[in-house]
Amino acid sequence: AEAFLPRLSAQIPVEINLPKVEQDWTAQEATGEDCAWFRLRNTLARLSLLQGFDELLCLPTLNDVNTYWYQVETVRKVLKQFRGRVLLADEVGLGKTIEAGMVLKEYLLRGMADRVLVLTPATIVGQWLEEMAVKFDIEFASSYDALIRRDPVAFWAQPRVIASIATARRAEHFEILRRQVYDLVIVDEAHHLKNRATSNWKLVDALQKRFLLLLSATPVQNSLVELYNLLTLLKPGIFKTEKEFRSTYMTSGKPRLPSNSDRLRDLMRDVMIRNTRSQVDVRLPPRTAVTLRVEAGGEEAACYQEVTRLVRKAHSAGNSNRRLALRHLVSSAGSSPAAAAAAIHRFAERNDPAPAWTDLHNRYGKISIGGKEAALIELLKRNPGEKKIVFAHHRHTLDRLDTLLRVENMAFARYNGSMSGPEKDAAVERFRDRASVLLCTESGGEGRNLQFCNTLINFDLPWNPMAIEQRIGRLHRIGQTRQVFIFNLVVRNTLEEYVLQILDEKINMFQLVVGEIGAILGEVEQEREFAELVFDAWIETTEQDRPSAFDHLGERIIDAKRKYEAVKALDERLFGEDFATG
């Protein structure tokens, strides 16, 4: 018998770069009518090539975005094959937000979209705002804006809005939104639309929209009916009834088991793209997290206890209008003495000028150096030549660290969200070429290449785990070639220590793929954000009962992780690798 070589499949990305011949023409100093006609014909030739989306206009306009072949092919497929109505179900960490942003930018550049609505969980509204502005040069209004409370009609009339879906679904906003007409609606974490009976699903169904992008790494969580609910948003009328879908695609009594897997996959090929890591060959280097628990000095520890006591007393008075301010006080006290002093001063001026607050402000002001500040200086001196990014959530903490590094004569750069574009570029350049430390706020570094650094120090810890994950994602992302080291500084017996115990010890957050923590917390945060649950566990319990309150919260998070892993396995069984762009 003849022996045949095995047939191998290959994926060879091809890119065509059209020459900018008009520049060559003008370089020859051609003038007059012939030159004008040539430019006109050249423009016509380029536009004829662009008609079928074979060349993406958005690619040269992106800011410091490393696009990969599968993302480019996904965008082409969304535009050409799916005609702008699709479920983007890439595995976590492969860049669904980038793909959605590229589709949006392409539609804007081609004049095919103007009015755009992005609906997301409340905790990532800021992340979407930042990515759209920095990476795509697209400015949005957001549900953070005061206008939404002052004049909801004027707010929703704006052409581009990013909003929390929890805000948008409220009755007073729902009625305004259903009268709006949108060219493109994007829904992140779209598995929250899995139930037709919920206000989330009803809102998206009621929106007048031409294009619709649904983003979810885990579109099926409990039952194949959830697919039916998503499909009817993308293709209204595709099924006459849910009963028809059940009888055609589902096994009776087994809601997760398709009656005919091949037929279900044929159906989903018309509405879904799902890239997996194994297909696109995306690998990241390992990362290692170390927690440094710091002993506060006697006065610093006593001041923190007094903050907790006064906040609990104010909280028990039942004034809900002060809740955000009280949260800020506890968060500031966990960050640094300087941040605590500033927050207490502002709170006393605006809310409660009682002597206890004034006395506490003065006590914090006399602390010469905080426990974490001393630990940071020691950490920075260990490998002075190794570049390190130091994240701090509070501005007064960043100011304090700025002063400390100057005293220690350490070369550093400073980066924060209020800086102009050229100032940010200069800060990154200084960090890359001359400084060993970058002091950074929460919004620092987004859209800029910082992968020449592989060490991150969390000087303080936001209570929102997605904010911590965003920090990690600045360094541990596609393009990083070295192992990433994360150092978490936390003072013993503080709220932040309890948060770290849950995130690190209970669910091993620092080993999760960037993006997974949001999926895990998604169900826990259906009604209240994680930060709110943490604040309650701290402030509504006595010192003796506090450990059990955080243990209970930790068990909820562990249970959520188990459910997420089960859902991830279910989606892998249902879809496998049959829906990739390649």
Side-chain angles (χ1 to χ4, degrees):
E2 293 185 66
F4 293 95
L5 292 173
R7 183 177 179 179
L8 302 177
S9 61
Q11 291 179 337
I12 304 174
V14 176
E15 180 177 341
I16 299 174
N17 293 311
L18 297 176
K20 293 181 168 51
V21 289
E22 68 275 10
Q23 293 179 1
D24 296 335
W25 181 276
T26 54
Q28 297 172 17
E29 298 183 356
T31 58
E33 188 174 338
D34 287 344
C35 181
W37 274 109
F38 176 83
R39 286 176 176 164
L40 193 60
R41 289 182 63 84
N42 180 62
T43 301
L44 177 63
R46 286 183 68 88
L47 290 174
S48 67
L49 286 172
L50 296 177
Q51 271 187 339
F53 299 108
D54 289 317
E55 182 180 352
L56 297 182
L57 298 178
C58 68
L59 292 179
T61 72
L62 308 183
N63 300 321
D64 293 310
V65 177
N66 294 321
T67 54
Y68 293 86
W69 68 266
Y70 68 90
Q71 294 174 323
V72 174
E73 289 307 312
T74 292
V75 173
R76 286 197 180 111
K77 201 169 182 180
V78 170
L79 298 169
K80 293 174 66 175
Q81 179 179 333
F82 294 93
R83 300 182 184 276
R85 298 183 76 95
V86 67
L87 169 60
L88 295 176
D90 290 2
E91 281 188 328
V92 171
L94 292 185
K96 290 185 291 297
T97 307
I98 295 296
E99 292 167 355
M102 289 169 66
V103 172
L104 165 58
K105 187 73 172 183
E106 195 70 24
Y107 278 144
L108 292 176
L109 289 171
R110 291 172 183 268
M112 296 174 67
D114 179 48
R115 290 182 53 77
V116 181
L117 175 65
V118 179
L119 297 172
T120 80
T123 49
I124 55 175
V125 168
Q127 181 180 340
W128 268 88
L129 267 177
E130 183 181 8
E131 293 210 14
M132 291 301 104
V134 174
K135 294 179 179 178
F136 298 96
D137 286 325
I138 306 173
E139 296 296 332
F140 277 84
S142 86
S143 49
Y144 291 161
D145 301 347
L147 181 62
I148 194 172
R149 294 181 294 277
R150 191 170 64 249
D151 189 344
V153 173
F155 173 80
W156 294 114
Q158 296 175 102
R160 291 165 201 163
V161 175
I162 297 173
S164 153
I165 195 167
T167 299
R169 72 191 182 203
R170 282 161 45 187
E172 64 269 30
H173 299 304
F174 187 109
E175 290 305 316
I176 301 170
L177 274 167
R178 69 191 308 167
R179 295 194 296 269
Q180 305 296 317
V181 178
Y182 290 104
D183 300 303
L184 172 61
V185 172
I186 301 172
V187 184
D188 199 3
E189 305 295 347
H191 44 270
H192 294 309
L193 309 178
K194 62 189 178 186
N195 187 341
R196 289 166 61 90
T198 63
S199 50
N200 283 350
W201 190 93
K202 291 176 181 178
L203 168 66
V204 176
D205 182 56
L207 292 172
Q208 300 179 59
K209 54 202 176 289
R210 180 183 178 192
F211 305 122
L212 176 62
L213 304 183
L214 303 181
L215 283 54
S216 174
T218 54
V220 179
Q221 301 196 320
N222 299 301
S223 167
L224 292 177
V225 171
E226 294 161 7
L227 276 184
Y228 166 79
N229 293 333
L230 294 177
L231 283 169
T232 53
L233 291 173
L234 291 167
K235 290 192 168 186
I238 187 173
F239 302 106
K240 293 178 182 177
T241 62
E242 181 182 317
K243 183 179 179 181
E244 178 192 356
F245 177 85
R246 285 178 178 272
S247 64
T248 307
Y249 296 100
M250 294 176 62
T251 301
S252 179
K254 297 181 178 180
R256 295 183 173 195
L257 185 65
S259 58
N260 187 320
S261 295
D262 291 339
R263 193 171 180 183
L264 178 66
R265 292 184 182 201
D266 287 342
L267 172 72
M268 295 306 296
R269 282 191 184 95
D270 291 335
V271 292
M272 184 172 80
I273 299 174
R274 183 176 186 266
N275 297 303
T276 65
R277 273 188 184 71
S278 59
Q279 290 171 307
V280 303
D281 196 28
V282 171
R283 293 186 178 91
L284 291 176
R287 68 184 189 217
T288 301
V290 177
T291 295
L292 301 179
R293 287 180 166 81
V294 177
E295 294 288 349
E299 179 64 356
E300 185 181 2
C303 285
Y304 189 88
Q305 289 181 342
E306 182 66 1
V307 167
T308 298
R309 186 187 72 81
L310 291 174
V311 167
R312 180 182 289 115
K313 180 180 178 182
H315 180 264
S316 64
N319 189 339
S320 60
N321 294 332
R322 290 185 179 181
R323 184 177 176 86
L324 192 59
L326 296 176
R327 271 182 51 179
H328 182 68
L329 284 169
V330 179
S331 173
S332 299
S335 180
S336 71
I344 291 167
H345 178 70
R346 188 164 54 252
F347 180 82
E349 276 191 334
R350 296 178 180 178
N351 298 282
D352 187 354
W357 288 110
T358 304
D359 178 59
L360 187 55
H361 168 261
N362 293 333
R363 289 171 64 187
Y364 263 120
K366 292 176 183 177
I367 296 174
S368 59
I369 187 167
K372 286 195 300 182
E373 294 165 8
L376 175 66
I377 296 301
E378 182 182 339
L379 183 58
L380 294 177
K381 287 180 177 178
R382 286 184 192 173
N383 295 300
E386 190 70 36
K387 294 189 182 295
K388 305 174 184 71
I389 296 181
V390 180
F391 274 102
H393 180 69
H394 294 273
R395 179 175 60 84
H396 289 92
T397 297
L398 207 70
D399 292 342
R400 172 61 177 158
L401 297 183
D402 184 309
T403 301
L404 277 177
L405 295 190
R406 292 181 191 278
V407 170
E408 294 291 336
N409 201 29
M410 291 184 178
F412 71 95
R414 178 167 171 166
Y415 190 118
N416 62 69
S418 64
M419 296 166 66
S420 67
E423 288 173 332
K424 291 176 179 178
D425 292 338
V428 172
E429 181 182 355
R430 172 173 168 76
F431 178 46
R432 184 181 62 241
D433 298 335
R434 300 186 299 280
S436 59
V437 179
L438 180 68
L439 296 180
C440 223
T441 58
E442 224 61 73
S443 59
E446 183 54 62
R448 286 167 171 79
N449 184 359
L450 297 173
Q451 283 120 300
F452 55 84
C453 172
N454 69 326
T455 301
L456 180 155
I457 300 172
N458 286 315
F459 184 82
D460 56 16
L461 283 172
W463 300 353
N464 175 8
M466 262 88 80
I468 302 173
E469 190 179 60
Q470 281 177 255
R471 291 177 174 183
I472 297 169
R474 301 291 197 254
L475 300 186
H476 197 243
R477 65 201 306 173
I478 298 172
Q480 178 61 262
T481 59
R482 297 183 294 165
Q483 181 175 1
V484 171
F485 296 93
I486 303 161
F487 294 91
N488 301 306
L489 296 180
V490 64
V491 175
R492 292 187 185 276
N493 301 317
T494 60
L495 182 150
E496 286 72 21
E497 185 182 26
Y498 279 101
V499 169
L500 201 56
Q501 284 174 351
I502 291 175
L503 298 179
D504 191 14
E505 298 173 17
K506 299 282 188 184
I507 62 170
N508 204 14
M509 170 183 168
F510 296 100
Q511 299 306 316
L512 295 173
V513 173
V514 170
E516 284 192 308
I517 189 66
I520 291 170
L521 292 178
E523 294 303 317
V524 176
E525 293 189 322
Q526 282 283 5
E527 299 302 325
R528 305 185 68 208
E529 295 178 17
F530 180 77
E532 285 286 308
L533 299 173
V534 163
F535 182 66
D536 284 348
W538 181 261
I539 218 66
E540 294 182 357
T541 58
T542 64
E543 190 171 347
Q544 291 73 26
D545 294 336
R546 194 172 293 147
S548 63
F550 277 95
D551 281 343
H552 175 69
L553 179 56
E555 290 304 316
R556 288 182 62 188
I557 304 301
I558 290 172
D559 185 55
K561 184 182 181 184
R562 290 195 196 103
K563 290 179 180 177
Y564 164 71
E565 289 172 342
V567 165
K568 190 166 64 169
L570 171 63
D571 282 61
E572 178 61 32
R573 289 196 305 272
L574 285 173
F575 307 123
E577 299 183 349
D578 292 350
F579 300 89
T581 55

